[in-house]
Structures are given as C-alpha cells and as structure tokens.
Amino acid sequence: MNTMQTNVKPVKHFVSLDTLSLEEIMSMIEESLRYKQGDLPPLFDGKTVANLFFENSTRTKNSFQMAERHLNMQEIPFDVTTSSVTKGETLYDTCKTLEAIGVDALVIRHPEAGYYHELVEKLNIPVLNGGDGSGEHPSQSLLDLVTIFEEFGTFQGLNVAICGDLVHSRVARSNASVLKRLGANVVGCSPASWWDDSMGLERKELDDILGECDVIMLLRVQHERHIMGDVFSKEAYHTQFGLTVERVERMKAGAIIMHPAPVNRDVEIAGSLIEHERSRIFPQMKNGVYARMSILNRALGGQQ
Ligand code: CP
C-alpha cells in the first residue's frame, strides 16, 4: 500500500465577501468574536505567511501581522522596495516564488482592482486580499460587520449611510454589497461627482437621513486618487458633507459613527469626534485583528 501522504493544502482564497454565503459570513463574524473572547486556540505553529503591500498601510498590514502572531504563525518579511519587483518581476512570478519556497498564505494589497484573478486561478496557496485599488477591501468589511454585529446583534433592518468619496472607495463597495445581502437598509451620501451608480445605492442628503440612521459610515477623501482642490476646499467639504459637531447632535439615540481610517481630521469628520462616545473608529481597528485571525484560520483550514 502506498502510505505517502499527498501534500495538498486547503486553499480558501479571501478576495471578496461576494464569494461567501451569508452563513459563512455570519460564522466568521461569530468566530472573530470568539477569538476576541479568547475562546479559540492558536493552531498554526510552523505555518508561514508573507504580507505583500504594494500600497501603504498602517492598519491592515499591522493587524494582519498581529493576527499572525496571535495564531503562532511566522511572517516571512517581504518589502516591495527591496524585492525583485524593482527589477520588473511580475506579481504572479513574485507570488509563485513565495509559494515555491514554502510560504503557506499570501496577504496582498495592490493598487490594481482585481489584481488577484490570475493568482486565484494558478496558485495552490490562499490569497487574502488586503485591498485591491478601488475594487474591494473584504477584511475591512468583515471587521466592520463584526463591529456592527457586536453593537446591534443583527443587520436586519438597520439603517446605514455610507458617506463621502464613494467612487474611489473599496470599503464602500465591499460594505454596500454585503450589508444589503444581510438585510440592512443602505444609502449613500456623496457629492455628485464622487457618486458611483454601480454600487446600487440610493443617493441621499446626509441632513435628510441623519436622524434615522443607526450607522453613519464615513469614508476617507482619497486625495491620492484625485485632486480634491479642483472640486472643494476642505472647509467646504466638511461643512456640506462631513460629520460636524453640530450634525452629531442630530444623530439617533444609540447610533454609531464608523470610519475605516486613516482619517482626514476636519474634512470627513471633525477631529474632536474621532474619540466621541458614539465613535467606533478605534474599536473597529481592534476588531480588525480578530476578523483577520478568522480569515487566516479559514484560509489555512483550522477550526470552524
Ligand atoms: N483601513 C485601512 O485599510 O487602513 P490602512 O490603509 O492603514 O491599512
């Protein structure tokens, strides 16, 4: 009898929440909260992960690294600026190389929307999307869902407004889709020139819906993806579209403020509101570690 074990690893790419069923998403939310409570063991001694960030990051990169440490994984350091990417190596060749040398999973942030299509077809190790251009940001979306579920215990019937620079926002794209699937009433508030019909949201004025919303989800004005000064001054944007100190007073009882960060203080939100009692901005970041533990766990075939 041939007793050799085939070295087939579970491959569970995590590139968009659209590829997961609602049952899978809910079970990842619950699993994230179990990690937060310390209920699940770190099962991954000896597993290795490379974090490939072709765009800058504070939260996503560091919280994936923290999640990897909590799970007893080892990070294989990868720095785009000192890698052979600078010699013209393609993304696929870089990833295939890391697979060949034994890396078990790849976390990738890349400026090109949908960069992962070739990778998920051809690689035998999981690709975990840390943000693809203006495409999607599924790990941010999962941590946002964990934060909302922790607060309200449901998504059904919640009124959520996604506000700001929608057209450039991968966070908005991921959250609009999954929150609607989960039964929330989701609307968008943005300047006309930053609106994106493809998200399938109804466009509203923030002042008209502020008092009915359970969640005000603000988006960063992405200065690096357009020239805001051509359209608004920062002060004009803040007054017309931002969450001002005056607007917070008109929010519904129990309603919360979210923002994926980094934040442009006094542009999309008044600086004094970032740590307001309604703000969940730093709790979102904390939940990001547990959500990413769940993502790594699923990708590497751990407990469910
Ligand atoms: N929210 C978010 O993706 O932040 P970073 O760009 O710092 O990772």
Side-chain angles (χ1 to χ4, degrees):
M1 191 173 74
N2 182 358
T3 57
M4 265 179 66
Q5 298 290 310
T6 51
N7 188 24
V8 177
K9 295 173 186 161
V11 176
K12 205 153 188 185
H13 301 293
F14 184 83
V15 294
S16 165
L17 291 182
D18 288 346
T19 66
L20 302 180
S21 69
L22 293 184
E23 290 70 27
E24 285 174 307
I25 292 167
M26 285 310 302
S27 100
M28 290 182 79
I29 293 169
E30 283 157 15
E31 187 173 78
S32 305
L33 291 170
R34 289 185 67 198
Y35 274 124
K36 187 171 186 176
Q37 288 153 11
D39 277 357
L40 294 174
L43 283 180
F44 294 100
D45 272 342
K47 293 284 185 187
T48 54
V49 182
N51 302 298
L52 285 67
F53 278 69
F54 293 81
E55 277 187 348
N56 292 342
S57 166
T58 302
R59 277 143 292 274
T60 310
K61 184 171 184 182
N62 285 294
S63 65
F64 262 115
Q65 288 172 320
M66 188 62 83
E68 290 152 17
R69 286 186 189 200
H70 284 331
L71 290 171
N72 287 341
M73 295 173 174
Q74 288 181 20
E75 185 195 11
I76 303 299
F78 181 88
D79 176 4
V80 173
T81 62
T82 56
S83 74
S84 288
V85 171
T86 60
K87 303 174 200 164
E89 185 172 66
T90 66
L91 176 63
Y92 174 73
D93 287 343
T94 300
C95 294
K96 194 69 190 167
T97 300
L98 292 166
E99 178 185 285
I101 66 175
V103 170
D104 294 301
L106 303 173
V107 176
I108 305 176
R109 170 173 288 187
H110 197 277
E112 185 186 326
Y115 71 81
Y116 48 77
H117 290 299
E118 183 185 18
L119 304 180
V120 301
E121 244 178 62
K122 295 185 181 171
L123 293 181
N124 297 309
I125 56 173
V127 172
L128 313 181
N129 183 8
D132 60 296
S134 297
E136 295 227 34
H137 197 344
S139 69
Q140 176 72 44
S141 189
L142 183 63
L143 76 87
D144 289 343
L145 296 180
V146 170
T147 306
I148 294 171
F149 189 76
E150 197 173 32
E151 192 76 34
F152 299 101
T154 185
F155 298 98
Q156 197 68 43
L158 286 182
N159 295 325
V160 180
I162 304 180
C163 308
D165 187 358
L166 268 85
V167 72
H168 297 106
S169 178
R170 53 195 176 208
V171 178
R173 200 170 312 283
S174 292
N175 278 339
S177 172
V178 73
L179 282 166
K180 282 190 291 181
R181 287 173 68 206
L182 287 163
N185 308 310
V186 189
V187 298
C189 306
S190 91
S193 52
W194 296 352
W195 183 249
D196 185 345
D197 267 336
S198 73
M199 290 187 201
L201 300 179
E202 195 179 347
R203 182 160 169 253
K204 297 278 193 181
E205 293 299 325
L206 181 57
D207 285 323
D208 293 342
I209 49 133
L210 190 59
E212 298 156 23
C213 285
D214 299 291
V215 179
I216 300 290
M217 185 178 286
L218 302 164
L219 303 172
R220 181 173 69 88
V221 175
Q222 300 199 26
H223 298 292
E224 73 277 24
R225 301 195 204 272
H226 58 74
I227 303 165
M228 180 174 170
D230 287 354
V231 187
F232 302 102
S233 69
K234 290 179 181 178
E235 293 75 21
Y237 180 86
H238 185 61
T239 305
Q240 201 177 339
F241 298 101
L243 192 62
T244 60
V245 171
E246 180 276 322
R247 285 195 175 104
V248 159
E249 299 302 320
R250 290 189 276 127
M251 284 176 67
K252 180 179 172 179
I256 62 170
I257 302 163
M258 297 176 70
H259 189 309
V263 172
N264 294 305
R265 286 176 175 260
D266 302 318
V267 181
E268 59 265 7
I269 180 170
S272 63
L273 299 179
I274 289 170
E275 294 179 60
H276 188 273
E277 61 184 1
R278 290 185 184 275
S279 170
R280 297 297 179 270
I281 296 174
F282 287 100
Q284 283 173 265
M285 294 177 207
K286 182 170 181 165
N287 284 338
V289 175
Y290 306 111
R292 288 167 178 130
M293 288 172 78
S294 176
I295 293 164
L296 288 159
N297 177 48
R298 297 301 169 107
L300 290 169
Q303 71 273 353
Q304 296 192 10

